[in-house]
């Protein structure tokens, strides 16, 4: 087939040359075209994981933003691809939750064929859905914007600055108190740590407390004889079932735990141990 076309064309050319004799057999004409620059296209933006469970404070949590970008003038015409904005579900600026400052340059990954950047969410990033905006610009200054989404779940977490509560030596009929403060201290430093509770999650919390006597105690002492105040909530008497303190502690904030033990008259003498359990209650 290809051979037949070649023969056919050569006959036509021969006929044209024959009809033009004795005119010139060739000439040149200047040819020009202006190829337009067209904007790059941000085809797709994705964020992984799409549902983020934050690490408790003070750690941040990485997310990977990937963008598929093309340009009809060729891939070399793409000059920059950047993460340019992050917004919450209300459309408000959420860039305060990033460890990085925007814009963040994205780099081309040969193996995925996509541009990518790793961002770090602060531990106080609120439970919400977020939109990441990616802007691609070509060498002619034309731009395109694409967006991708992710969600941040609720993280309920606390940190405490004490690893023991010591009531010392107490006579029957007397009480012993350990008062807290709102300053997170390093456990083991002198003077003795004043109990502090910190919200290291991303949602407001209440705090629940329970206290349990160890199995080897001479008699039950802590349960029913320990009272606690958290922030301005209480005093409440603690038992072996959780008591919730309505403190509405905001993410990143700290509060005091004041705890007191009353030793009733008639209590058997000896050493007593117990376990205080402190848990966050997400609201
Ligand atoms: Ca272009």
């Amino acid at each position: 087939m290809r051979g037949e076309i070649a023969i056919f064309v050569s006959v036509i050319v021969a006929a044209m040359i024959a009809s033009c004799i004795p005119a010139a057999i060739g000439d040149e004409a200047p040819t020009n075209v202006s190829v337009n620059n067209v904007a790059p296209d941000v085809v797709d933006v994705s964020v992984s994981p799409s549902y983020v469970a934050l690490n408790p404070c003070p750690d941040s949590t990485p997310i990977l933003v990937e963008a598929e970008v093309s340009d009809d003038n060729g891939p070399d015409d793409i000059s920059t691809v950047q993460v340019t904005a992050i917004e919450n579900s209300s459309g408000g600026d959420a860039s305060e939750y990033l460890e990085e400052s925007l814009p963040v340059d994205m780099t081309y990954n040969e193996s995925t064929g996509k541009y990518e950047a790793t961002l770090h969410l602060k531990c106080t990033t609120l439970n919400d859905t977020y939109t990441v905006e990616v802007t691609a610009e070509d060498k002619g200054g034309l731009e395109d914007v694409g967006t991708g989404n992710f969600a941040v779940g609720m993280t309920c977490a606390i940190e405490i600055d004490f690893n023991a509560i010591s009531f010392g030596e107490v006579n029957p009929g007397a009480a012993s108190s350990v008062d807290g403060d709102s300053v997170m201290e390093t456990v083991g430093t002198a003077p003795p740590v004043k109990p502090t509770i910190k919200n290291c999650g991303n949602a407001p919390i209440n705090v629940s407390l329970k206290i349990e006597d160890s199995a080897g105690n001479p008699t039950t002492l802590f349960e029913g004889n320990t009272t606690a105040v958290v922030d301005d909530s209480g005093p409440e008497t603690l038992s072996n079932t959780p008591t919730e303190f309505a403190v509405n502690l905001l993410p990143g904030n700290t509060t005091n735990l004041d705890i007191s033990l009353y030793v009733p008259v008639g209590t058997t003498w000896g050493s007593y141990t117990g376990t205080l359990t402190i848990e966050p209650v997400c609201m």
Side-chain angles (χ1 to χ4, degrees):
M1 188 66 188
R2 186 175 295 173
E4 290 171 14
I5 291 172
I7 291 164
F8 178 70
V9 170
S10 64
V11 170
I12 298 292
V13 172
M16 288 171 67
I17 292 169
S19 67
C20 292
I21 293 174
I25 60 169
D27 204 345
E28 294 177 346
T31 305
N32 67 73
V33 63
S34 174
V35 175
N36 291 329
N37 182 21
V38 293
D41 183 15
V42 179
V43 181
D44 184 58
V45 176
S46 64
V47 181
S48 53
S50 56
Y51 184 87
V52 183
L54 293 177
N55 295 320
C57 293
D59 295 341
S60 61
T61 305
I63 56 170
L64 178 68
V65 182
E66 292 179 296
E68 189 183 335
V69 183
S70 67
D71 191 309
D72 285 349
N73 301 109
D76 288 346
D77 196 38
I78 300 167
S79 60
T80 59
V81 180
Q82 295 177 316
V83 177
T84 42
I86 178 171
E87 293 180 348
N88 60 26
S89 60
S90 312
D93 177 20
S95 59
E96 67 184 290
Y97 295 134
L98 295 179
E99 297 283 4
E100 293 81 8
S101 298
L102 296 179
V104 171
D105 287 332
M106 302 179 76
T107 55
Y108 186 70
N109 181 326
E110 296 271 357
S111 61
T112 61
K114 295 176 180 178
Y115 287 81
E116 64 181 33
T118 298
L119 305 177
H120 293 82
L121 294 173
K122 293 179 182 173
C123 57
T124 50
T125 305
L126 290 178
N127 164 228
D128 199 355
T129 55
Y130 295 89
T131 301
V132 175
E133 179 188 278
V134 170
T135 304
E137 185 177 340
D138 71 10
K139 289 173 181 169
L142 297 180
E143 286 184 354
D144 189 37
V145 173
T147 59
N149 301 297
F150 67 97
V152 172
M154 196 176 276
T155 303
C156 234
I158 57 164
E159 187 181 4
I160 56 175
D161 68 348
F162 55 99
N163 56 13
I165 301 278
S166 179
F167 290 109
E169 298 176 358
V170 189
N171 287 334
S176 173
S177 298
V178 175
D179 288 338
D181 66 6
S182 58
V183 180
M184 288 295 283
E185 295 161 86
T186 305
V187 175
T189 55
V193 169
K194 297 172 178 171
T196 305
I197 299 170
K198 181 176 186 179
N199 181 349
C200 57
N202 70 341
I205 56 166
N206 283 339
V207 172
S208 91
L209 298 178
K210 70 174 180 179
I211 197 158
E212 294 165 291
D213 282 82
S214 299
N217 283 355
T219 182
T220 300
L221 176 60
F222 294 108
E223 298 166 26
N225 291 306
T226 307
T227 56
V229 173
V230 182
D231 198 10
D232 291 329
S233 178
E236 297 278 356
T237 300
L238 303 184
S239 70
N240 58 1
T241 60
T243 299
E244 186 169 331
F245 293 75
V247 290
N248 190 28
L249 188 63
L250 300 178
N253 283 13
T254 58
T255 194
N256 57 289
L257 165 65
D258 303 336
I259 192 159
S260 182
L261 173 69
Y262 172 71
V263 179
V265 172
T267 301
T268 306
W269 64 271
S271 290
Y272 291 75
T273 57
T275 303
L276 176 70
T277 304
I278 307 150
E279 289 187 330
V281 181
C282 265
M283 297 156 58

